[in-house]
Every structure is written in structure tokens, then in C-alpha cells.
Amino acid sequence: MVNFKTLKESLDKNGEVMIRLDNGEKIELYKHNVSFNDSTQEVVVDAAKETYWIDANKIAYYWIHREGIEGKK
């Protein structure tokens, strides 16, 4: 599965990151509403009315959108 620290650094650098869970579900993470629990290796998403805890071991992979990044297509 993905490296927790690398995912955290990518979100910090890019502002948003897409993840795919091991069950195929895709989730878009945004820097303004996501935190990382280092002790439990969980990604915590504050979705206004609900909070989600995602086990980093369940994240199959992640990527960033290239649209909007200057010089990338």
C-alpha cells in the first residue's frame, strides 16, 4: 500500500490528492479538510457533517490532477 509519510507530503505540496482504496473507491483529499494521525496511520477527512477515518493500509495508490499545474498536460 502507499507510504503514509509520502502521501502526507504530497497533499501538503499539491493541495489536493486523489486516492483509490483497496475496494476500488476513489476519494479526493483536500489540504483544508484533511489531517493525518501519525500514531494510528489514519487519514482523517472532515466532510463538514461527517468525519471519515481512512486506514492508510487500505489506500492502494494516489495521484494528483495534472490539469491546472503550470506546464503539465
Side-chain angles (χ1 to χ4, degrees), residues 7-70:
L7 174 63
K8 185 177 177 180
E9 290 170 354
S10 183
L11 182 61
D12 187 48
K13 176 183 175 186
N14 298 299
E16 70 178 39
V17 174
M18 295 292 297
I19 61 172
R20 183 178 299 273
L21 302 180
D22 60 358
N23 66 3
E25 183 179 0
K26 289 192 292 188
I27 302 170
E28 196 160 3
L29 304 178
Y30 296 98
K31 187 176 179 177
H32 70 274
N33 70 337
V34 171
S35 61
F36 294 85
N37 186 325
D38 293 324
S39 64
T40 61
Q41 297 279 290
E42 291 176 313
V43 178
V44 182
V45 181
D46 179 1
K49 294 183 179 182
E50 299 176 320
T51 301
Y52 299 94
W53 289 265
I54 302 167
D55 183 341
N57 292 319
K58 300 292 183 179
I59 302 172
Y61 60 91
Y62 69 95
W63 69 99
I64 60 171
H65 292 289
R66 291 290 180 194
E67 307 93 42
I69 298 176
E70 199 169 312

